[in-house]
Amino acid sequence: MIIVDKLCYSSRLRYMNAGEKFAFAIITLLICVVSRSILCAAVILAATAILTVKIGGIPLSRYRTLMAVPLTFILLSTLAIIVNFSHTPLDAFAIPLGSIYVTGSWHGIYRAFQLIITAMAAVSCLYFLSLNTPMTDILEVLRRLRCPLLFIELMMLIYRFLFVLLEIASSITTSQRSRLGNKDLKTAYHSFSNMVSVLFVRAIKKSNALFDAMESRCYDGRIRVLNETFPPKAKEIIAIVCFEVFLLICIIGGKLLL
Amino acid sequence: MSIIRAENLHFTYEDGTEALRGIDLSVEAGQKIALLGANGSGKSTFFLCLNGINQPKEGTLYLHDKPYDYSKKGLLELRSKVGIVFQDPDNQLFSASVFQEISFGVLNIGVDEKEAERRVEEAINELEITPFRHKPTHFLSGGQKKQVSVADILVMDPEVIVLDEPAAALDPKHTIILNHLIEKLSARGITIIISTHDVDHAFAWADEVILFHKGKVLRRGTPEEVFSAAEDLEKTNLAKPAALRLFDNLVANGVLDADEPIPRNLDTLEMYIRERRK
């Protein structure tokens, strides 16, 4: 989570118009999920990987690790689709287990593969967005899309204070460790619970101090801020449109071939 | 004419702590004021009063000789004229984006977006924020966060800027940068009030020094006056500035003449000694 945040600020695509990146990610994701086309998903996986790693400059090893996380989850959950328990063996494989079979069909394997690749393609779209766009830019796009202001203000403050509170938590933990606060499991649990309660108190104090500081800058219950936006480029928009059209052609082509 | 005046100011917190017990002072426009005093002497509480966040229980504050108006409109005007830079930037910066952060105050006082953008750019330039303007606030160093929190206030174009221990937790290099930036603000005609524990800096920099002690003004005057009052310094646990102490010693030992103007920093004192040896 924190790594994603660090990476997005160094991405070479960071200063690309956030609306374009958002539109690309969401439209591609929708096409992928709705069509469930394997060909289309493969194209998306390749495209987002190239965009994020090659053009955005996110290290390949990081990208692989990040993709491996959802992949593990998806593989585990698709096992249920592949593996069946049945009295009659299915066509792909069948392992007899007493009176029943642990078995699977080719159709099931195909469905599982389709699910894995489309899910991963959808995840890669979201990774493309979050690895190349800082949170504040995404919030600005949401604001333009008329997302309720309350949500945006909450997200903005939560995002900021996530880091403030994490820093406090880590410094408390460090000082506990330097006093042998984790010498055995029991002490470690105890230290952790102390840290959480101190963190809670600090969070309340911080929120009061923040409110005072905002009041002193004439806060009236609405957070008004200016955003630096980077103008959209015609070339990029055309490229996005072409890509989406290409995806649609892939889907139709794939349907016709089958 | 004073820009800010406090008359018999009392403030008590909800838990019964009497933080201010009768503050009387006035600040002239364009002055550089250093507020000194032990922790808990009421400096921060006083600052929050100046900005209308704390409403005094007793006594009155005046801005341009008009008593503070605590109505919504009055507070808006007050806070656009008197700005506070808080001690801990992490309590002040609410946005992850430097640009958003700085634009907050100026939009709140009703400046239109175009003008606000111009002012934000100007503050970024003036306070030398350009090299890290695109970094998120959580990756900034302490000194950089401080620069942003000063810009937060500067964009509102205030007449008075109050800085609560601006050099706290800064390394010497960033302290020098910050002092240089504060000097720039002062040169623009902004009245600066800072609280500090650094007697040497207060002695060299301030036009007027105010000593706070247990919620009261113990002494105020020129830096030379205040820092020569040994008894009051002892009461507030402050040491004499190095330049003054050395100067007094050299005068007592007959190295320098007592009628020379008191040197406000070590460089001036060094010059005296060099001239004397010639």
Side-chain angles (χ1 to χ4, degrees):
Chain A
M1 182 42 218
I2 304 300
I3 292 166
V4 173
D5 182 68
K6 265 207 170 116
L7 289 173
C8 75
Y9 287 101
S10 59
S11 158
R12 282 197 286 267
L13 288 174
R14 179 187 163 185
Y15 298 113
M16 183 181 164
N17 180 275
E20 284 177 25
K21 286 183 275 191
F22 191 85
F24 170 77
I26 300 304
I27 296 171
T28 312
L29 186 141
L30 285 178
I31 290 179
C32 169
V33 172
V34 172
S35 75
R36 299 235 175 154
S37 146
I38 290 176
L39 177 64
C40 171
V43 172
I44 293 170
L45 271 175
T48 50
I50 290 169
L51 279 172
T52 310
V53 178
K54 193 99 180 140
I55 302 178
I58 304 298
L60 181 64
S61 56
R62 281 259 191 255
Y63 190 66
R64 252 196 332 240
T65 335
L66 285 170
M67 289 294 276
V69 178
L71 184 65
T72 332
F73 274 102
I74 295 168
L75 283 180
L76 284 176
S77 43
T78 41
L79 264 183
I81 299 176
I82 299 173
V83 179
N84 285 299
F85 295 94
S86 152
H87 289 289
T88 47
L90 295 169
D91 52 356
F93 63 90
I95 305 159
L97 212 85
S99 65
I100 54 166
Y101 290 95
V102 177
T103 179
S105 65
W106 284 116
H107 178 70
I109 291 173
Y110 173 78
R111 280 247 335 261
F113 179 68
Q114 185 189 33
L115 201 65
I116 291 168
I117 194 163
T118 46
M120 284 312 290
V123 168
S124 80
C125 289
L126 292 178
Y127 267 139
F128 164 77
L129 185 66
S130 52
L131 282 168
N132 295 298
T133 325
M135 189 64 183
T136 44
D137 292 4
I138 297 179
L139 291 183
E140 170 64 9
V141 175
L142 291 178
R143 194 181 66 82
R144 288 188 184 214
L145 291 174
R146 315 245 165 233
C147 180
L149 280 173
L150 178 68
F151 286 118
I152 293 175
E153 290 179 2
L154 273 176
M155 282 194 267
M156 182 172 171
L157 293 175
I158 289 171
Y159 176 67
R160 165 83 182 112
F161 279 85
L162 193 66
F163 293 95
V164 174
L165 293 179
L166 270 178
E167 211 178 296
I168 297 175
S170 102
S171 63
I172 295 173
T173 312
T174 311
S175 88
Q176 284 177 336
R177 271 209 229 120
S178 76
R179 287 174 287 164
L180 296 176
N182 60 344
K183 73 172 168 36
D184 51 38
L185 199 62
K186 202 179 149 211
T187 346
Y189 279 141
H190 190 68
S191 301
F192 182 75
S193 71
N194 273 335
M195 189 274 282
V196 171
S197 66
V198 171
L199 190 65
F200 178 71
V201 174
R202 292 265 195 104
I204 301 291
K205 275 196 173 160
K206 283 258 165 209
S207 75
N208 282 331
L210 179 78
F211 184 70
D212 279 353
M214 288 174 78
E215 278 254 281
S216 88
R217 285 198 277 159
C218 308
Y219 176 56
D220 59 3
R222 252 206 63 199
I223 300 180
R224 277 182 230 88
V225 286
L226 287 179
N227 282 285
E228 264 181 305
T229 47
F230 309 100
K233 292 196 185 105
K235 221 171 95 187
E236 290 163 359
I237 296 176
I238 292 169
I240 294 171
V241 172
C242 288
F243 180 77
E244 307 303 345
V245 171
F246 175 69
L247 282 184
L248 291 176
I249 294 171
C250 283
I251 295 164
I252 296 164
K255 287 256 153 72
L256 289 179
L257 278 177
L258 290 175
Chain B
M1 197 179 93
S2 64
I3 188 162
I4 284 181
R5 190 154 50 89
E7 250 177 37
N8 191 31
L9 211 61
H10 281 79
F11 185 84
T12 310
Y13 281 103
E14 277 164 25
D15 62 359
T17 324
E18 267 189 283
L20 302 179
R21 315 182 206 199
I23 301 276
D24 286 289
L25 55 83
S26 68
V27 175
E28 305 293 317
Q31 264 192 318
K32 298 191 277 190
I33 296 194
L35 208 67
L36 289 100
N39 292 336
S41 59
K43 298 183 306 275
S44 299
T45 310
F46 177 64
F47 284 174
L48 290 176
C49 287
L50 286 183
N51 190 250
I53 300 286
N54 286 348
Q55 239 188 82
K57 196 179 72 173
E58 218 186 298
T60 323
L61 278 158
Y62 299 88
L63 180 72
H64 290 301
D65 287 324
K66 268 191 262 154
Y68 273 25
D69 169 9
Y70 291 97
S71 70
K72 212 174 161 188
K73 205 176 137 233
L75 282 176
L76 193 77
E77 201 190 319
L78 170 67
R79 287 170 185 165
S80 68
K81 287 186 175 153
V82 183
I84 305 184
V85 176
F86 286 81
Q87 181 176 349
D88 183 355
D90 277 338
N91 288 342
Q92 186 180 329
L93 309 183
F94 69 90
S95 169
S97 137
V98 170
F99 198 82
Q100 280 191 351
E101 173 63 41
I102 300 177
S103 67
F104 177 66
V106 66
L107 288 177
N108 284 341
I109 57 175
V111 172
D112 69 78
E113 291 201 357
K114 209 158 186 172
E115 166 67 9
E117 201 178 325
R118 193 190 63 73
R119 285 209 212 168
V120 173
E121 289 292 345
E122 195 187 281
I124 286 177
N125 210 5
E126 176 100 7
L127 292 171
E128 296 157 29
I129 290 168
T130 317
F132 51 86
R133 63 178 292 176
H134 290 303
K135 277 197 187 175
T137 43
H138 48 269
F139 291 154
L140 300 184
S141 73
Q144 292 170 334
K145 280 184 194 166
K146 192 52 108 182
Q147 275 163 267
V148 174
S149 47
V150 178
D152 276 354
I153 305 304
L154 182 65
V155 278
M156 297 169 78
D157 200 14
E159 295 174 23
V160 181
I161 296 185
V162 177
L163 297 108
D164 196 359
E165 295 190 29
L170 292 192
D171 61 21
K173 188 186 142 204
H174 282 97
T175 308
I176 291 171
I177 295 175
L178 185 73
N179 287 340
H180 149 78
L181 295 174
I182 292 174
E183 208 49 52
K184 257 181 159 175
L185 302 183
S186 180
R188 278 171 61 148
I190 300 172
T191 311
I192 308 277
I193 306 177
I194 63 170
S195 72
T196 178
H197 293 298
D198 182 350
V199 284
D200 291 309
H201 180 247
F203 188 52
W205 171 82
D207 297 326
E208 185 173 326
V209 175
I210 300 173
L211 284 189
F212 265 43
H213 185 59
K214 295 188 176 159
K216 281 185 178 160
V217 175
L218 186 63
R219 182 176 274 271
R220 51 180 289 222
T222 63
E224 289 89 344
E225 276 166 29
V226 173
F227 288 118
S228 300
E231 211 172 279
D232 292 343
L233 287 182
E234 199 171 313
K235 240 186 190 170
T236 47
N237 297 322
L238 291 170
K240 237 185 202 184
L244 186 63
R245 209 176 108 199
L246 193 52
F247 178 72
D248 285 351
N249 271 333
L250 293 172
V251 169
N253 289 310
V255 182
L256 291 176
D257 294 330
D259 51 349
E260 290 205 69
I262 296 177
R264 296 266 292 266
N265 54 47
L266 287 171
D267 289 342
T268 321
L269 182 60
E270 216 179 291
M271 204 184 70
Y272 282 5
I273 299 170
R274 229 182 292 127
E275 274 174 16
R276 182 75 192 190
R277 285 189 60 191
K278 271 181 196 162

